[in-house]
Every structure is written in C-alpha cells, then in structure tokens.
Amino acid sequence: MKIRMIVIVGIGIIGLAACGSAKSSSAADTTTTHPAVAGHPPTTASAAPVTTPVTTPVTTPTLASPTTDPATTPTTAAATPGSVKTITLWCGSGIVYAEPSLSLWENGSGYNTIDAIKRTTAYIESAQQVQANPYAAYAVQLCGEVLSADGNRPPEDQSAWASAMSDFLQASAILHSAPGAPAVSTARPYLNSGTTELNAFLAAVGISQSI
C-alpha cells in the first residue's frame, strides 16, 4: 500500500515538473515575439517631412530677386508712348505730330502750310506789302510757318521738305535780326533756294505746284 502511494506521489511530481516546463517554454515564446512587435512602431522616418519644408523656402528667396529688373521695364516702356515731342525755333515752340498718309497730309496741314509759305515769301518781295507790314512782322510770320511745317512733316520725301524749311528759317532769322531793305538782299538767296526746293518736293510727291 505504501509502495502504491509513493508511486502515485512520484507520478504527481513528474506531472508537475512537466507542466512547469511547458509553462516556461510558452512564456519564452511570448517574450521572443513581443520585442518584434514592440520594435515596429518607432519609425524615425517622420523626421524627413520636417527637413523637406525647410529647404524649400531657402531656394524661393533667391529666385525672387531677378523680378526687380522687369519691374523697372514697364515704367520706362510706358513713358515712351506717353511722351510728347516738341520742336523749338527762335520764334517759339510746337508739338510734333504726323499724318498717316500723304493724301491726308496734303488735304490737311500740308496744303495750308505750303500756301502760307508761298504767300509770305511773295509778300516779303512786294514793296507794297512791306509798306503795310514791316519785315520784322513777316520774319515772325515766316518762322511760325516753318515751325508748323517742321511739326507736321509729310510722310514722304522728308529730307527735301526739311531742306526747304531750313532755308526759309534762315531767311526769317536774317529779317528778324536786321529788318530793312538790306536784310532782304541778304535773305533773298535763302528765300529763292527754299522756294526751289519746295517746288522740287511737290514734283517728287506728285502735288501740284500751283498751291
């Protein structure tokens, strides 16, 4: 009977030992798998988005500096169309403008200017007209007509036109500085040369010289 009890107690002890070993092995398993799961969350890759926005603003200011050059361009490009050209002679100044075509120029200021210059030069050579108006008055009148002619030059053959007006201007300056019969003799070559060049211009552009 004692022997049977001993055997039963021994079997119980062996069973407890086996059970303890089983528990220890299962605990060992959980400790080996846990660190793998615990090591998974710490991802330090989140630091990359922090550095990316920092580098982007650094390059942006350097690209903004060249925009100061075009900023000055609109101010100077706007002043050019808005500016008004003027011409100044000894008798005054006027605005420079231009007709888009020869026909518009001829039927507008061109005809009036040519007619006025021809009348004034004829009056200077007329003794009757000089008695009514002194040479100085015709000098100012002729200079004013040249001012109008230079302010609105024809769209064609401007060099011949400018040459004629230069002679008329020189004649007006002579009559203005030394009025009297001797001044007319000095101014006459310029009056004749201007008239010849004016008629040559009219023939070149096809305008009648009978204006």
mmCIF file of all heavy atoms in Angstrom, residues 105-161:
data_model
loop_
_atom_site.group_PDB
_atom_site.id
_atom_site.type_symbol
_atom_site.label_atom_id
_atom_site.label_comp_id
_atom_site.label_asym_id
_atom_site.label_seq_id
_atom_site.Cartn_x
_atom_site.Cartn_y
_atom_site.Cartn_z
ATOM 1 N N TRP A 105 -2.157 114.257 -95.338
ATOM 2 C CA TRP A 105 -1.279 115.394 -95.048
ATOM 3 C C TRP A 105 -1.523 116.541 -96.024
ATOM 4 O O TRP A 105 -1.598 117.698 -95.628
ATOM 5 C CB TRP A 105 0.182 114.940 -95.120
ATOM 6 C CG TRP A 105 1.165 116.046 -94.942
ATOM 7 C CD1 TRP A 105 1.637 116.560 -93.770
ATOM 8 C CD2 TRP A 105 1.801 116.803 -95.972
ATOM 9 N NE1 TRP A 105 2.514 117.589 -94.000
ATOM 10 C CE2 TRP A 105 2.639 117.752 -95.353
ATOM 11 C CE3 TRP A 105 1.742 116.768 -97.372
ATOM 12 C CZ2 TRP A 105 3.417 118.649 -96.066
ATOM 13 C CZ3 TRP A 105 2.516 117.672 -98.085
ATOM 14 C CH2 TRP A 105 3.342 118.597 -97.436
ATOM 15 N N GLU A 106 -1.644 116.202 -97.312
ATOM 16 C CA GLU A 106 -1.839 117.238 -98.337
ATOM 17 C C GLU A 106 -3.165 117.972 -98.123
ATOM 18 O O GLU A 106 -3.219 119.209 -98.203
ATOM 19 C CB GLU A 106 -1.820 116.600 -99.723
ATOM 20 C CG GLU A 106 -2.076 117.600 -100.855
ATOM 21 C CD GLU A 106 -2.196 116.919 -102.201
ATOM 22 O OE1 GLU A 106 -2.011 115.677 -102.261
ATOM 23 O OE2 GLU A 106 -2.481 117.618 -103.188
ATOM 24 N N ASN A 107 -4.222 117.223 -97.847
ATOM 25 C CA ASN A 107 -5.541 117.835 -97.684
ATOM 26 C C ASN A 107 -5.730 118.474 -96.311
ATOM 27 O O ASN A 107 -6.739 119.142 -96.078
ATOM 28 C CB ASN A 107 -6.637 116.784 -97.902
ATOM 29 C CG ASN A 107 -6.641 116.251 -99.323
ATOM 30 O OD1 ASN A 107 -6.390 117.000 -100.270
ATOM 31 N ND2 ASN A 107 -6.908 114.956 -99.482
ATOM 32 N N GLY A 108 -4.774 118.271 -95.433
ATOM 33 C CA GLY A 108 -4.860 118.855 -94.102
ATOM 34 C C GLY A 108 -3.879 119.991 -93.933
ATOM 35 O O GLY A 108 -3.934 121.017 -94.618
ATOM 36 N N SER A 109 -2.935 119.797 -93.046
ATOM 37 C CA SER A 109 -1.981 120.865 -92.736
ATOM 38 C C SER A 109 -0.990 121.112 -93.868
ATOM 39 O O SER A 109 -0.456 122.216 -93.994
ATOM 40 C CB SER A 109 -1.211 120.519 -91.460
ATOM 41 O OG SER A 109 -0.454 119.327 -91.650
ATOM 42 N N GLY A 110 -0.729 120.107 -94.689
ATOM 43 C CA GLY A 110 0.245 120.281 -95.772
ATOM 44 C C GLY A 110 -0.140 121.394 -96.726
ATOM 45 O O GLY A 110 0.671 122.281 -97.037
ATOM 46 N N TYR A 111 -1.366 121.365 -97.185
ATOM 47 C CA TYR A 111 -1.822 122.395 -98.133
ATOM 48 C C TYR A 111 -1.764 123.772 -97.493
ATOM 49 O O TYR A 111 -1.283 124.739 -98.113
ATOM 50 C CB TYR A 111 -3.252 122.079 -98.581
ATOM 51 C CG TYR A 111 -3.841 123.120 -99.504
ATOM 52 C CD1 TYR A 111 -3.680 123.028 -100.888
ATOM 53 C CD2 TYR A 111 -4.552 124.216 -98.995
ATOM 54 C CE1 TYR A 111 -4.206 123.994 -101.744
ATOM 55 C CE2 TYR A 111 -5.076 125.176 -99.836
ATOM 56 C CZ TYR A 111 -4.912 125.066 -101.214
ATOM 57 O OH TYR A 111 -5.433 126.022 -102.052
ATOM 58 N N ASN A 112 -2.233 123.890 -96.267
ATOM 59 C CA ASN A 112 -2.251 125.195 -95.601
ATOM 60 C C ASN A 112 -0.844 125.738 -95.381
ATOM 61 O O ASN A 112 -0.593 126.945 -95.552
ATOM 62 C CB ASN A 112 -2.973 125.074 -94.254
ATOM 63 C CG ASN A 112 -4.439 124.724 -94.429
ATOM 64 O OD1 ASN A 112 -5.062 125.076 -95.429
ATOM 65 N ND2 ASN A 112 -5.001 124.024 -93.452
ATOM 66 N N THR A 113 0.083 124.864 -95.013
ATOM 67 C CA THR A 113 1.450 125.307 -94.759
ATOM 68 C C THR A 113 2.134 125.771 -96.036
ATOM 69 O O THR A 113 2.797 126.827 -96.064
ATOM 70 C CB THR A 113 2.264 124.165 -94.116
ATOM 71 O OG1 THR A 113 1.648 123.786 -92.886
ATOM 72 C CG2 THR A 113 3.692 124.594 -93.854
ATOM 73 N N ILE A 114 1.978 125.000 -97.105
ATOM 74 C CA ILE A 114 2.604 125.367 -98.382
ATOM 75 C C ILE A 114 2.035 126.689 -98.894
ATOM 76 O O ILE A 114 2.774 127.584 -99.344
ATOM 77 C CB ILE A 114 2.401 124.244 -99.414
ATOM 78 C CG1 ILE A 114 3.150 122.987 -98.977
ATOM 79 C CG2 ILE A 114 2.874 124.691 -100.795
ATOM 80 C CD1 ILE A 114 2.822 121.758 -99.799
ATOM 81 N N ASP A 115 0.729 126.842 -98.808
ATOM 82 C CA ASP A 115 0.093 128.078 -99.271
ATOM 83 C C ASP A 115 0.557 129.273 -98.446
ATOM 84 O O ASP A 115 0.844 130.352 -98.991
ATOM 85 C CB ASP A 115 -1.424 127.928 -99.177
ATOM 86 C CG ASP A 115 -2.155 129.170 -99.622
ATOM 87 O OD1 ASP A 115 -2.090 129.518 -100.822
ATOM 88 O OD2 ASP A 115 -2.786 129.821 -98.753
ATOM 89 N N ALA A 116 0.680 129.099 -97.142
ATOM 90 C CA ALA A 116 1.093 130.206 -96.276
ATOM 91 C C ALA A 116 2.533 130.620 -96.554
ATOM 92 O O ALA A 116 2.845 131.825 -96.616
ATOM 93 C CB ALA A 116 0.939 129.792 -94.814
ATOM 94 N N ILE A 117 3.425 129.667 -96.750
ATOM 95 C CA ILE A 117 4.832 129.991 -97.004
ATOM 96 C C ILE A 117 4.978 130.712 -98.344
ATOM 97 O O ILE A 117 5.727 131.708 -98.459
ATOM 98 C CB ILE A 117 5.690 128.713 -96.974
ATOM 99 C CG1 ILE A 117 5.788 128.187 -95.538
ATOM 100 C CG2 ILE A 117 7.090 128.980 -97.529
ATOM 101 C CD1 ILE A 117 6.531 126.882 -95.407
ATOM 102 N N LYS A 118 4.271 130.265 -99.355
ATOM 103 C CA LYS A 118 4.366 130.916 -100.659
ATOM 104 C C LYS A 118 3.834 132.348 -100.607
ATOM 105 O O LYS A 118 4.407 133.267 -101.226
ATOM 106 C CB LYS A 118 3.603 130.101 -101.701
ATOM 107 C CG LYS A 118 4.332 128.824 -102.130
ATOM 108 C CD LYS A 118 3.684 128.209 -103.360
ATOM 109 C CE LYS A 118 4.520 127.076 -103.920
ATOM 110 N NZ LYS A 118 3.998 126.552 -105.199
ATOM 111 N N ARG A 119 2.774 132.558 -99.850
ATOM 112 C CA ARG A 119 2.221 133.906 -99.738
ATOM 113 C C ARG A 119 3.189 134.835 -98.983
ATOM 114 O O ARG A 119 3.412 135.979 -99.375
ATOM 115 C CB ARG A 119 0.877 133.861 -99.010
ATOM 116 C CG ARG A 119 -0.253 133.293 -99.846
ATOM 117 C CD ARG A 119 -1.552 133.244 -99.039
ATOM 118 N NE ARG A 119 -2.627 132.653 -99.816
ATOM 119 C CZ ARG A 119 -3.434 133.346 -100.639
ATOM 120 N NH1 ARG A 119 -3.252 134.665 -100.781
ATOM 121 N NH2 ARG A 119 -4.395 132.739 -101.311
ATOM 122 N N THR A 120 3.780 134.309 -97.900
ATOM 123 C CA THR A 120 4.669 135.139 -97.085
ATOM 124 C C THR A 120 5.926 135.524 -97.853
ATOM 125 O O THR A 120 6.373 136.687 -97.801
ATOM 126 C CB THR A 120 5.046 134.387 -95.793
ATOM 127 O OG1 THR A 120 3.854 134.098 -95.064
ATOM 128 C CG2 THR A 120 5.972 135.231 -94.932
ATOM 129 N N THR A 121 6.519 134.577 -98.559
ATOM 130 C CA THR A 121 7.722 134.895 -99.339
ATOM 131 C C THR A 121 7.407 135.898 -100.455
ATOM 132 O O THR A 121 8.237 136.770 -100.777
ATOM 133 C CB THR A 121 8.330 133.619 -99.936
ATOM 134 O OG1 THR A 121 7.335 132.922 -100.697
ATOM 135 C CG2 THR A 121 8.835 132.691 -98.834
ATOM 136 N N ALA A 122 6.219 135.796 -101.008
ATOM 137 C CA ALA A 122 5.823 136.770 -102.049
ATOM 138 C C ALA A 122 5.607 138.146 -101.433
ATOM 139 O O ALA A 122 5.977 139.179 -102.035
ATOM 140 C CB ALA A 122 4.557 136.304 -102.751
ATOM 141 N N TYR A 123 5.050 138.202 -100.224
ATOM 142 C CA TYR A 123 4.837 139.490 -99.557
ATOM 143 C C TYR A 123 6.168 140.163 -99.220
ATOM 144 O O TYR A 123 6.301 141.393 -99.307
ATOM 145 C CB TYR A 123 4.029 139.302 -98.278
ATOM 146 C CG TYR A 123 2.571 138.957 -98.500
ATOM 147 C CD1 TYR A 123 1.822 138.351 -97.495
ATOM 148 C CD2 TYR A 123 1.954 139.227 -99.724
ATOM 149 C CE1 TYR A 123 0.491 138.024 -97.697
ATOM 150 C CE2 TYR A 123 0.626 138.892 -99.942
ATOM 151 C CZ TYR A 123 -0.108 138.293 -98.921
ATOM 152 O OH TYR A 123 -1.432 137.976 -99.139
ATOM 153 N N ILE A 124 7.161 139.376 -98.832
ATOM 154 C CA ILE A 124 8.469 139.944 -98.492
ATOM 155 C C ILE A 124 9.105 140.617 -99.711
ATOM 156 O O ILE A 124 9.780 141.640 -99.590
ATOM 157 C CB ILE A 124 9.397 138.841 -97.941
ATOM 158 C CG1 ILE A 124 8.861 138.344 -96.582
ATOM 159 C CG2 ILE A 124 10.827 139.336 -97.788
ATOM 160 C CD1 ILE A 124 9.591 137.135 -96.041
ATOM 161 N N GLU A 125 8.852 140.093 -100.892
ATOM 162 C CA GLU A 125 9.413 140.652 -102.116
ATOM 163 C C GLU A 125 8.537 141.768 -102.692
ATOM 164 O O GLU A 125 8.892 142.380 -103.696
ATOM 165 C CB GLU A 125 9.571 139.548 -103.170
ATOM 166 C CG GLU A 125 10.586 138.480 -102.811
ATOM 167 C CD GLU A 125 12.018 138.996 -102.871
ATOM 168 O OE1 GLU A 125 12.245 140.170 -103.249
ATOM 169 O OE2 GLU A 125 12.935 138.239 -102.534
ATOM 170 N N SER A 126 7.400 142.006 -102.075
ATOM 171 C CA SER A 126 6.487 143.034 -102.589
ATOM 172 C C SER A 126 6.673 144.332 -101.801
ATOM 173 O O SER A 126 6.508 144.361 -100.575
ATOM 174 C CB SER A 126 5.028 142.562 -102.464
ATOM 175 O OG SER A 126 4.135 143.605 -102.776
ATOM 176 N N ALA A 127 7.026 145.382 -102.507
ATOM 177 C CA ALA A 127 7.227 146.683 -101.853
ATOM 178 C C ALA A 127 5.935 147.197 -101.228
ATOM 179 O O ALA A 127 5.937 147.804 -100.153
ATOM 180 C CB ALA A 127 7.760 147.701 -102.860
ATOM 181 N N GLN A 128 4.819 146.949 -101.894
ATOM 182 C CA GLN A 128 3.535 147.420 -101.371
ATOM 183 C C GLN A 128 3.198 146.736 -100.046
ATOM 184 O O GLN A 128 2.733 147.372 -99.101
ATOM 185 C CB GLN A 128 2.441 147.157 -102.407
ATOM 186 C CG GLN A 128 1.070 147.677 -101.981
ATOM 187 C CD GLN A 128 0.004 147.431 -103.031
ATOM 188 O OE1 GLN A 128 0.306 146.908 -104.125
ATOM 189 N NE2 GLN A 128 -1.219 147.823 -102.749
ATOM 190 N N GLN A 129 3.444 145.443 -99.965
ATOM 191 C CA GLN A 129 3.156 144.713 -98.733
ATOM 192 C C GLN A 129 4.108 145.118 -97.608
ATOM 193 O O GLN A 129 3.724 145.179 -96.448
ATOM 194 C CB GLN A 129 3.271 143.203 -98.990
ATOM 195 C CG GLN A 129 2.206 142.652 -99.909
ATOM 196 C CD GLN A 129 0.815 142.733 -99.291
ATOM 197 O OE1 GLN A 129 0.641 142.680 -98.083
ATOM 198 N NE2 GLN A 129 -0.190 142.864 -100.156
ATOM 199 N N VAL A 130 5.354 145.411 -97.970
ATOM 200 C CA VAL A 130 6.329 145.789 -96.952
ATOM 201 C C VAL A 130 5.980 147.149 -96.358
ATOM 202 O O VAL A 130 6.235 147.416 -95.170
ATOM 203 C CB VAL A 130 7.746 145.801 -97.555
ATOM 204 C CG1 VAL A 130 8.741 146.422 -96.582
ATOM 205 C CG2 VAL A 130 8.163 144.400 -97.915
ATOM 206 N N GLN A 131 5.378 148.045 -97.143
ATOM 207 C CA GLN A 131 4.950 149.328 -96.612
ATOM 208 C C GLN A 131 3.840 149.157 -95.580
ATOM 209 O O GLN A 131 3.757 149.907 -94.603
ATOM 210 C CB GLN A 131 4.465 150.241 -97.757
ATOM 211 C CG GLN A 131 5.585 150.737 -98.664
ATOM 212 C CD GLN A 131 5.068 151.566 -99.813
ATOM 213 O OE1 GLN A 131 3.854 151.757 -99.971
ATOM 214 N NE2 GLN A 131 5.977 152.096 -100.636
ATOM 215 N N ALA A 132 2.993 148.161 -95.786
ATOM 216 C CA ALA A 132 1.888 147.927 -94.849
ATOM 217 C C ALA A 132 2.355 147.174 -93.610
ATOM 218 O O ALA A 132 1.859 147.406 -92.508
ATOM 219 C CB ALA A 132 0.781 147.142 -95.544
ATOM 220 N N ASN A 133 3.325 146.298 -93.767
ATOM 221 C CA ASN A 133 3.830 145.495 -92.652
ATOM 222 C C ASN A 133 5.355 145.472 -92.710
ATOM 223 O O ASN A 133 5.938 145.216 -93.764
ATOM 224 C CB ASN A 133 3.314 144.052 -92.729
ATOM 225 C CG ASN A 133 1.798 143.991 -92.646
ATOM 226 O OD1 ASN A 133 1.211 144.243 -91.605
ATOM 227 N ND2 ASN A 133 1.171 143.670 -93.759
ATOM 228 N N PRO A 134 6.019 145.732 -91.605
ATOM 229 C CA PRO A 134 7.488 145.732 -91.625
ATOM 230 C C PRO A 134 8.046 144.329 -91.833
ATOM 231 O O PRO A 134 7.363 143.326 -91.645
ATOM 232 C CB PRO A 134 7.844 146.280 -90.244
ATOM 233 C CG PRO A 134 6.674 145.975 -89.391
ATOM 234 C CD PRO A 134 5.475 146.033 -90.287
ATOM 235 N N TYR A 135 9.323 144.289 -92.216
ATOM 236 C CA TYR A 135 9.962 142.990 -92.449
ATOM 237 C C TYR A 135 9.976 142.120 -91.187
ATOM 238 O O TYR A 135 9.890 140.896 -91.276
ATOM 239 C CB TYR A 135 11.396 143.198 -92.946
ATOM 240 C CG TYR A 135 11.477 143.726 -94.357
ATOM 241 C CD1 TYR A 135 11.976 145.012 -94.612
ATOM 242 C CD2 TYR A 135 11.068 142.955 -95.426
ATOM 243 C CE1 TYR A 135 12.053 145.500 -95.904
ATOM 244 C CE2 TYR A 135 11.155 143.439 -96.720
ATOM 245 C CZ TYR A 135 11.637 144.706 -96.962
ATOM 246 O OH TYR A 135 11.708 145.206 -98.256
ATOM 247 N N ALA A 136 10.100 142.778 -90.056
ATOM 248 C CA ALA A 136 10.146 142.005 -88.815
ATOM 249 C C ALA A 136 8.863 141.200 -88.609
ATOM 250 O O ALA A 136 8.899 140.068 -88.107
ATOM 251 C CB ALA A 136 10.380 142.941 -87.628
ATOM 252 N N ALA A 137 7.731 141.793 -89.022
ATOM 253 C CA ALA A 137 6.455 141.075 -88.878
ATOM 254 C C ALA A 137 6.427 139.856 -89.801
ATOM 255 O O ALA A 137 5.977 138.763 -89.407
ATOM 256 C CB ALA A 137 5.298 142.021 -89.188
ATOM 257 N N TYR A 138 6.938 140.014 -91.000
ATOM 258 C CA TYR A 138 6.994 138.877 -91.923
ATOM 259 C C TYR A 138 8.021 137.837 -91.464
ATOM 260 O O TYR A 138 7.861 136.632 -91.728
ATOM 261 C CB TYR A 138 7.318 139.350 -93.339
ATOM 262 C CG TYR A 138 6.176 140.066 -94.012
ATOM 263 C CD1 TYR A 138 6.296 141.397 -94.391
ATOM 264 C CD2 TYR A 138 4.985 139.400 -94.269
ATOM 265 C CE1 TYR A 138 5.247 142.067 -95.017
ATOM 266 C CE2 TYR A 138 3.924 140.065 -94.892
ATOM 267 C CZ TYR A 138 4.058 141.385 -95.252
ATOM 268 O OH TYR A 138 3.005 142.046 -95.866
ATOM 269 N N ALA A 139 9.070 138.308 -90.787
ATOM 270 C CA ALA A 139 10.055 137.366 -90.271
ATOM 271 C C ALA A 139 9.424 136.432 -89.242
ATOM 272 O O ALA A 139 9.623 135.214 -89.280
ATOM 273 C CB ALA A 139 11.229 138.131 -89.654
ATOM 274 N N VAL A 140 8.653 137.001 -88.337
ATOM 275 C CA VAL A 140 7.970 136.185 -87.327
ATOM 276 C C VAL A 140 6.940 135.277 -87.992
ATOM 277 O O VAL A 140 6.792 134.098 -87.632
ATOM 278 C CB VAL A 140 7.303 137.095 -86.272
ATOM 279 C CG1 VAL A 140 6.482 136.248 -85.292
ATOM 280 C CG2 VAL A 140 8.344 137.913 -85.531
ATOM 281 N N GLN A 141 6.237 135.817 -88.982
ATOM 282 C CA GLN A 141 5.219 135.018 -89.665
ATOM 283 C C GLN A 141 5.845 133.842 -90.405
ATOM 284 O O GLN A 141 5.346 132.709 -90.323
ATOM 285 C CB GLN A 141 4.452 135.906 -90.643
ATOM 286 C CG GLN A 141 3.317 135.198 -91.360
ATOM 287 C CD GLN A 141 2.470 136.158 -92.172
ATOM 288 O OE1 GLN A 141 2.309 137.336 -91.803
ATOM 289 N NE2 GLN A 141 1.939 135.683 -93.284
ATOM 290 N N LEU A 142 6.957 134.082 -91.098
ATOM 291 C CA LEU A 142 7.621 133.009 -91.840
ATOM 292 C C LEU A 142 8.186 131.952 -90.885
ATOM 293 O O LEU A 142 8.091 130.750 -91.152
ATOM 294 C CB LEU A 142 8.728 133.587 -92.717
ATOM 295 C CG LEU A 142 9.486 132.593 -93.607
ATOM 296 C CD1 LEU A 142 8.524 131.882 -94.557
ATOM 297 C CD2 LEU A 142 10.592 133.309 -94.388
ATOM 298 N N CYS A 143 8.747 132.379 -89.777
ATOM 299 C CA CYS A 143 9.274 131.427 -88.797
ATOM 300 C C CYS A 143 8.144 130.570 -88.219
ATOM 301 O O CYS A 143 8.307 129.361 -88.022
ATOM 302 C CB CYS A 143 9.999 132.179 -87.676
ATOM 303 S SG CYS A 143 10.636 131.096 -86.384
ATOM 304 N N GLY A 144 7.001 131.177 -87.954
ATOM 305 C CA GLY A 144 5.859 130.409 -87.445
ATOM 306 C C GLY A 144 5.374 129.377 -88.442
ATOM 307 O O GLY A 144 4.954 128.268 -88.057
ATOM 308 N N GLU A 145 5.438 129.701 -89.727
ATOM 309 C CA GLU A 145 5.021 128.739 -90.753
ATOM 310 C C GLU A 145 6.022 127.576 -90.859
ATOM 311 O O GLU A 145 5.624 126.431 -91.075
ATOM 312 C CB GLU A 145 4.869 129.471 -92.077
ATOM 313 C CG GLU A 145 3.687 130.432 -92.075
ATOM 314 C CD GLU A 145 3.783 131.510 -93.141
ATOM 315 O OE1 GLU A 145 4.820 131.566 -93.846
ATOM 316 O OE2 GLU A 145 2.831 132.308 -93.264
ATOM 317 N N VAL A 146 7.307 127.893 -90.719
ATOM 318 C CA VAL A 146 8.309 126.828 -90.695
ATOM 319 C C VAL A 146 8.125 125.939 -89.463
ATOM 320 O O VAL A 146 8.287 124.709 -89.528
ATOM 321 C CB VAL A 146 9.730 127.427 -90.722
ATOM 322 C CG1 VAL A 146 10.780 126.338 -90.525
ATOM 323 C CG2 VAL A 146 9.973 128.161 -92.040
ATOM 324 N N LEU A 147 7.765 126.553 -88.340
ATOM 325 C CA LEU A 147 7.501 125.789 -87.121
ATOM 326 C C LEU A 147 6.359 124.807 -87.337
ATOM 327 O O LEU A 147 6.437 123.639 -86.924
ATOM 328 C CB LEU A 147 7.176 126.744 -85.977
ATOM 329 C CG LEU A 147 6.895 126.116 -84.609
ATOM 330 C CD1 LEU A 147 8.121 125.385 -84.087
ATOM 331 C CD2 LEU A 147 6.448 127.185 -83.617
ATOM 332 N N SER A 148 5.318 125.257 -87.997
ATOM 333 C CA SER A 148 4.195 124.370 -88.312
ATOM 334 C C SER A 148 4.605 123.284 -89.302
ATOM 335 O O SER A 148 4.192 122.126 -89.183
ATOM 336 C CB SER A 148 3.033 125.189 -88.883
ATOM 337 O OG SER A 148 1.969 124.342 -89.277
ATOM 338 N N ALA A 149 5.442 123.663 -90.283
ATOM 339 C CA ALA A 149 5.886 122.688 -91.286
ATOM 340 C C ALA A 149 6.782 121.619 -90.682
ATOM 341 O O ALA A 149 6.689 120.437 -91.035
ATOM 342 C CB ALA A 149 6.620 123.419 -92.408
ATOM 343 N N ASP A 150 7.669 122.014 -89.768
ATOM 344 C CA ASP A 150 8.548 121.044 -89.122
ATOM 345 C C ASP A 150 7.788 120.181 -88.112
ATOM 346 O O ASP A 150 8.169 119.034 -87.856
ATOM 347 C CB ASP A 150 9.699 121.763 -88.415
ATOM 348 C CG ASP A 150 10.793 122.179 -89.380
ATOM 349 O OD1 ASP A 150 10.804 121.653 -90.513
ATOM 350 O OD2 ASP A 150 11.628 123.028 -89.023
ATOM 351 N N GLY A 151 6.733 120.731 -87.549
ATOM 352 C CA GLY A 151 5.945 119.967 -86.585
ATOM 353 C C GLY A 151 5.085 118.905 -87.224
ATOM 354 O O GLY A 151 4.712 117.927 -86.571
ATOM 355 N N ASN A 152 4.763 119.070 -88.500
ATOM 356 C CA ASN A 152 3.952 118.077 -89.214
ATOM 357 C C ASN A 152 4.547 117.862 -90.600
ATOM 358 O O ASN A 152 4.035 118.360 -91.604
ATOM 359 C CB ASN A 152 2.500 118.543 -89.309
ATOM 360 C CG ASN A 152 1.597 117.472 -89.886
ATOM 361 O OD1 ASN A 152 1.949 116.305 -89.948
ATOM 362 N ND2 ASN A 152 0.415 117.873 -90.320
ATOM 363 N N ARG A 153 5.630 117.115 -90.618
ATOM 364 C CA ARG A 153 6.304 116.848 -91.889
ATOM 365 C C ARG A 153 5.526 115.832 -92.715
ATOM 366 O O ARG A 153 4.807 114.996 -92.159
ATOM 367 C CB ARG A 153 7.719 116.339 -91.642
ATOM 368 C CG ARG A 153 8.621 117.352 -90.954
ATOM 369 C CD ARG A 153 10.049 116.859 -90.873
ATOM 370 N NE ARG A 153 10.924 117.835 -90.241
ATOM 371 C CZ ARG A 153 12.240 117.725 -90.180
ATOM 372 N NH1 ARG A 153 12.846 116.664 -90.723
ATOM 373 N NH2 ARG A 153 12.966 118.655 -89.590
ATOM 374 N N PRO A 154 5.690 115.889 -94.028
ATOM 375 C CA PRO A 154 4.985 114.920 -94.877
ATOM 376 C C PRO A 154 5.531 113.518 -94.655
ATOM 377 O O PRO A 154 6.706 113.346 -94.317
ATOM 378 C CB PRO A 154 5.283 115.416 -96.299
ATOM 379 C CG PRO A 154 6.561 116.174 -96.168
ATOM 380 C CD PRO A 154 6.526 116.814 -94.815
ATOM 381 N N PRO A 155 4.702 112.495 -94.849
ATOM 382 C CA PRO A 155 5.180 111.127 -94.658
ATOM 383 C C PRO A 155 6.142 110.647 -95.736
ATOM 384 O O PRO A 155 6.741 109.589 -95.603
ATOM 385 C CB PRO A 155 3.893 110.280 -94.659
ATOM 386 C CG PRO A 155 2.832 111.142 -95.205
ATOM 387 C CD PRO A 155 3.272 112.553 -95.114
ATOM 388 N N GLU A 156 6.314 111.413 -96.826
ATOM 389 C CA GLU A 156 7.214 111.033 -97.912
ATOM 390 C C GLU A 156 8.214 112.162 -98.199
ATOM 391 O O GLU A 156 7.887 113.339 -98.064
ATOM 392 C CB GLU A 156 6.422 110.722 -99.197
ATOM 393 C CG GLU A 156 5.467 109.537 -99.060
ATOM 394 C CD GLU A 156 4.723 109.254 -100.353
ATOM 395 O OE1 GLU A 156 5.138 109.799 -101.404
ATOM 396 O OE2 GLU A 156 3.731 108.507 -100.308
ATOM 397 N N ASP A 157 9.436 111.756 -98.601
ATOM 398 C CA ASP A 157 10.484 112.697 -99.021
ATOM 399 C C ASP A 157 10.706 113.801 -97.984
ATOM 400 O O ASP A 157 10.718 114.995 -98.298
ATOM 401 C CB ASP A 157 10.127 113.303 -100.378
ATOM 402 C CG ASP A 157 11.376 113.754 -101.147
ATOM 403 O OD1 ASP A 157 12.479 113.652 -100.564
ATOM 404 O OD2 ASP A 157 11.250 114.215 -102.290
ATOM 405 N N GLN A 158 10.896 113.384 -96.746
ATOM 406 C CA GLN A 158 11.044 114.360 -95.672
ATOM 407 C C GLN A 158 12.360 115.136 -95.760
ATOM 408 O O GLN A 158 12.434 116.265 -95.274
ATOM 409 C CB GLN A 158 10.949 113.654 -94.319
ATOM 410 C CG GLN A 158 9.566 113.091 -94.027
ATOM 411 C CD GLN A 158 9.465 112.539 -92.609
ATOM 412 O OE1 GLN A 158 10.440 112.531 -91.862
ATOM 413 N NE2 GLN A 158 8.286 112.068 -92.244
ATOM 414 N N SER A 159 13.382 114.548 -96.372
ATOM 415 C CA SER A 159 14.670 115.249 -96.458
ATOM 416 C C SER A 159 14.556 116.490 -97.334
ATOM 417 O O SER A 159 15.099 117.561 -96.991
ATOM 418 C CB SER A 159 15.745 114.300 -96.998
ATOM 419 O OG SER A 159 15.392 113.824 -98.289
ATOM 420 N N ALA A 160 13.874 116.395 -98.463
ATOM 421 C CA ALA A 160 13.706 117.565 -99.337
ATOM 422 C C ALA A 160 12.849 118.623 -98.645
ATOM 423 O O ALA A 160 13.124 119.833 -98.756
ATOM 424 C CB ALA A 160 13.064 117.144 -100.660
ATOM 425 N N TRP A 161 11.841 118.180 -97.930
ATOM 426 C CA TRP A 161 10.983 119.104 -97.200
ATOM 427 C C TRP A 161 11.778 119.841 -96.117
ATOM 428 O O TRP A 161 11.676 121.056 -95.961
ATOM 429 C CB TRP A 161 9.823 118.330 -96.588
ATOM 430 C CG TRP A 161 8.890 119.140 -95.740
ATOM 431 C CD1 TRP A 161 8.916 119.272 -94.389
ATOM 432 C CD2 TRP A 161 7.786 119.931 -96.188
ATOM 433 N NE1 TRP A 161 7.907 120.087 -93.958
ATOM 434 C CE2 TRP A 161 7.190 120.509 -95.048
ATOM 435 C CE3 TRP A 161 7.243 120.213 -97.448
ATOM 436 C CZ2 TRP A 161 6.077 121.337 -95.118
ATOM 437 C CZ3 TRP A 161 6.125 121.040 -97.516
ATOM 438 C CH2 TRP A 161 5.562 121.595 -96.367
#
